[in-house]
Amino acid sequence: MSCGDPHDTECGEVLDHLYEFLDNEMAEGDCAKLRVHFEECSPCLEKYGLEQAIKALIKRSCGCDDTPVDLRTKVLARIDSIRAGQRAAQLSADESAGHGATATAAAES
Ligand SMILES: [Zn+2]
Ligand SMILES: [Zn+2]
């Protein structure tokens, strides 16, 4: 689930925090980390089909307009389906590996 390039913030971690990011519930420092990731990792956004939406949302959140509800809802629904797919992939990986050693604590909560 990564584009292969090294990032300060993992692609999976970005996905974990996308909700908070879109809800403006993140600390400014974390927000900045995600923005940096979006700048340097468009492959992962493209893969998720989120590039356009995220870029639009970032633009909005920097201006004085409210985030368009439609767009936000669409993105959140997309994140849900991505995460559901990742969980399924992780489950089958766990089955073949025996134990979920790669599962993150964040995914468990
Ligand atoms: Zn990424
Ligand atoms: Zn990347």
Side-chain angles (χ1 to χ4, degrees):
M1 91 172 98
S2 131
C3 67
D5 292 337
H7 299 299
D8 287 342
T9 314
E10 295 288 325
C11 291
E13 196 183 329
V14 169
L15 198 63
D16 281 343
H17 292 291
L18 264 181
Y19 276 117
E20 297 153 64
F21 179 78
L22 296 177
D23 284 335
N24 283 320
E25 282 172 1
M26 292 185 86
E28 186 48 45
D30 290 336
C31 234
K33 279 202 309 195
L34 261 68
R35 275 198 210 107
V36 167
H37 187 95
F38 298 146
E39 287 302 320
E40 63 188 20
C41 191
S42 57
C44 96
L45 291 188
E46 272 174 37
K47 186 178 72 191
Y48 297 146
L50 292 173
E51 188 176 24
Q52 294 295 340
I54 295 283
K55 295 236 158 115
L57 286 172
I58 289 173
K59 233 182 250 171
R60 294 288 181 140
S61 68
C62 294
C64 47
D65 286 334
D66 286 335
T67 302
V69 174
D70 275 8
L71 186 55
R72 187 178 164 283
T73 307
K74 242 186 258 174
V75 172
L76 294 185
R78 184 85 188 106
I79 295 169
D80 270 345
S81 70
I82 292 164
R83 302 203 63 163
Q86 284 184 348
R87 266 195 297 274
Q90 203 167 50
L91 281 180
S92 50
D94 286 351
E95 268 167 29
S96 49
H99 289 286
T102 58
T104 65
E108 298 296 319
S109 64

